[in-house]
Amino acid sequence: MKKSGFLILFVFSLLLMFSAIAVIPATAAEDSSSSTLRVDVLKYEPYPADIGDYVSVWVKVENYASGEAEDVSIKIEPEYPLSLDSETNAIQNFGRIPPDRTAIHEYRLYVDENAKTGTGSFDVLYRADSDLSWVKESFDIKVGSNTFDSKGTVELSNVISDPQVFMPGDEGSVSFTLENNAQSNTIVIDGETYDTYARVQSATLEGTDLIEVTSQPYEGKGVLGPGDSVQVTYNVEVDKNIEDGTYYLDLLTIGNSHSFNNNWRVPIVVDSDSLEVIPSKPLTIKNGQGTLEFDVANVYPNALSSVAVSLEAEGVSFSPSNYFVGSMDPDELFTIEIDAKSDQKEFTGTKNVTIIASFRNGLNEHEFVAGERSLKFEKVQEDNNTAISVAAVLGLVLLVVAVYMYRRKWNPKE
């Protein structure tokens, strides 16, 4: 009886072990794909999807791991009211995808003609190898649209960045004017009369990896008559590690209908240059005191505000301690004078003086070391210049008196 019980326990343990072995690869497989690949919907057109018509959906799969994905596949499983144009097109195999590389595939989904305006959903399954399990991600797209018969066309104008040019790490805003460029209230097309009102259903500004748009998309709630406009503003943040250059943000607008949608590229300029502070004459103080002169130049493309310069050197005090220049236009030059004083009047030689500049670019405060220079100390003998001047004046007076007396002596009539 004991042997029989032991045998049953042994067999049960073996079954548990085999079950664990069978489960572990599946879990590891799922973790392997999800820790290697990332899937996303790049875009879909038209936006929103038309009821009773096809919509193209671009699915992107990215290998963000350090190793190569050997045999990458994706599969789409749409839900009503969406369906595939053909079930044979559900799976797409990409093969090998190296690290930090992406692959894109276009699916065509049909929107049922009886669908209602709202949201359509579908699942994208992916795996890094044919031996691994599928990992699932779910996505939504907008179905149906509020289309209008109006024929007003919206154009983009008056793009304003604040600040005009960004520095790394800056925060600011980008503003646009969306204007209905129609010239009259109605227009005749193929014998039919249409109004020229324009509708901006939404306007979305998309950032980049190094420029983040922190504002929500604009949602239009009215119509624009001929010549009317609306201003839209988005807040942006520029990464502190960004390099100088021109970057483009995508502005996507949805108008009266799909044919009135627009995509614009909006430039953002980044420049890390700012102020230059250069001595305009040798930095020298005599007998522990002197006046230092600098040229402050704004080499930035736009105006800077709250410009100030301060100096630091061991054992030396400066007045003013922080020279406030104020606002400076691009390419403007300003000359400043700062008094220096040291208690070491007998000291001769040089000391390093650090030049610190600060300013504002828009609402962003910046401070940096504009350079280091050598400050020369000289000892000068103090001559009795006052005594010499007095003696010279007295000598001149005595000379005049002597000449006068001499002339009186030899010419009594004078």
Side-chain angles (χ1 to χ4, degrees):
M1 185 69 178
K2 291 183 179 179
K3 291 183 178 180
S4 176
F6 177 78
L7 181 61
I8 292 173
L9 180 61
F10 178 73
V11 172
F12 182 70
S13 300
L14 286 178
L15 290 175
L16 287 177
M17 184 182 302
F18 286 127
S19 298
I21 293 174
V23 170
I24 290 173
T27 304
E30 182 173 338
D31 290 343
S32 175
S33 293
S34 62
S35 62
T36 304
L37 304 177
R38 182 187 294 115
V39 297
D40 199 2
V41 173
L42 187 63
K43 64 176 180 177
Y44 61 93
E45 292 180 354
Y47 175 87
D50 282 325
I51 295 174
D53 204 348
Y54 282 95
V55 56
S56 295
V57 179
W58 284 266
V59 176
K60 178 182 72 173
V61 57
E62 176 187 3
N63 179 7
Y64 67 94
S66 58
E68 186 174 63
E70 298 292 336
D71 189 16
V72 178
S73 296
I74 60 173
K75 178 169 63 174
I76 193 168
E77 294 182 351
E79 300 178 2
Y80 182 85
L82 304 176
S83 62
L84 263 172
D85 55 347
S86 174
E87 291 298 327
T88 59
N89 297 329
I91 297 179
Q92 172 64 29
N93 179 262
F94 297 106
R96 297 175 181 268
I97 298 182
D100 297 325
R101 298 294 294 274
T102 62
I104 299 173
H105 180 67
E106 177 187 356
Y107 284 106
R108 282 179 58 80
L109 303 178
Y110 181 74
V111 184
D112 190 87
E113 59 185 7
N114 296 317
K116 295 182 179 180
T117 298
T119 301
S121 301
F122 57 88
D123 297 330
V124 175
L125 294 84
Y126 62 96
R127 61 186 180 188
D129 194 277
S130 57
D131 296 333
L132 303 179
S133 299
W134 293 100
V135 180
K136 182 173 66 175
E137 294 283 349
S138 299
F139 300 94
D140 296 330
I141 63 173
K142 291 185 178 181
V143 173
S145 62
N146 297 321
T147 59
F148 306 96
D149 289 334
S150 301
K151 301 300 181 181
T153 303
V154 174
E155 65 178 11
L156 179 69
S157 64
N158 199 27
V159 180
I160 300 175
S161 298
D162 184 17
Q164 180 182 348
V165 178
F166 288 81
M167 292 182 178
D170 275 357
E171 297 180 6
S173 63
V174 184
S175 300
F176 319 96
T177 298
L178 300 174
E179 183 178 1
N180 181 1
N181 63 359
Q183 302 297 318
S184 60
N185 291 326
T186 59
I187 187 173
V188 178
I189 302 176
D190 296 332
E192 292 191 30
T193 301
Y194 300 89
D195 70 62
T196 54
Y197 290 107
R199 292 169 173 83
V200 181
Q201 298 188 60
S202 68
T204 304
L205 184 65
E206 296 185 347
T208 67
D209 292 340
L210 296 174
I211 301 178
E212 181 183 1
V213 179
T214 58
S215 299
Q216 294 297 317
Y218 168 80
E219 297 289 342
K221 298 180 180 180
V223 297
L224 300 176
D228 290 344
S229 63
V230 60
Q231 188 176 46
V232 184
T233 301
Y234 299 89
N235 295 327
V236 297
E237 295 180 1
V238 178
D239 192 275
K240 64 181 180 180
N241 296 317
I242 197 171
E243 296 182 354
D244 291 357
T246 301
Y247 299 81
Y248 292 91
L249 309 184
D250 291 324
L251 177 63
L252 314 176
T253 63
I254 300 176
N256 299 337
S257 61
H258 300 308
S259 59
F260 286 86
N261 295 349
N262 290 291
N263 297 333
W264 288 288
R265 303 198 73 195
V266 179
I268 296 291
V269 181
V270 179
D271 193 332
S272 57
D273 290 334
S274 55
L275 295 173
E276 289 188 3
V277 185
I278 306 170
S280 53
K281 65 179 183 180
L283 301 181
T284 304
I285 60 176
K286 299 178 181 180
N287 299 333
Q289 60 183 3
T291 299
L292 310 181
E293 187 175 284
F294 298 88
D295 287 334
V296 183
N298 179 14
V299 296
Y300 202 62
N302 58 248
L304 301 175
S305 61
S306 300
V307 175
V309 176
S310 60
L311 305 178
E312 291 182 357
E314 182 182 359
V316 183
S317 60
F318 298 97
S319 179
S321 58
N322 191 40
Y323 197 112
F324 185 78
V325 178
S327 298
M328 294 188 69
D329 292 328
D331 295 328
E332 184 176 2
L333 181 70
F334 194 88
T335 301
I336 64 174
E337 290 184 348
I338 298 178
D339 294 330
K341 187 176 182 180
S342 173
D343 293 335
Q344 301 174 327
K345 295 184 179 182
E346 303 298 324
F347 175 75
T348 58
T350 60
K351 290 185 178 182
N352 286 336
V353 57
T354 302
I355 307 170
I356 301 173
S358 61
F359 60 90
R360 279 188 178 184
N361 185 36
L363 297 177
N364 303 281
E365 296 184 357
H366 295 268
E367 182 177 284
F368 71 104
V369 175
E372 288 192 354
R373 302 283 179 168
S374 293
L375 178 60
K376 186 178 181 181
F377 290 73
E378 294 182 352
K379 181 72 174 72
V380 180
Q381 286 297 114
E382 296 182 359
D383 298 328
N384 195 355
N385 295 329
T386 303
I388 294 174
S389 299
V390 171
V393 171
L394 289 177
L396 181 61
V397 171
L398 291 175
L399 178 62
V400 172
V401 171
V403 172
Y404 178 75
M405 295 299 294
Y406 177 80
R407 296 181 65 181
R408 284 288 302 268
K409 179 178 179 181
W410 294 103
N411 192 0
K413 294 182 178 181
E414 291 186 1

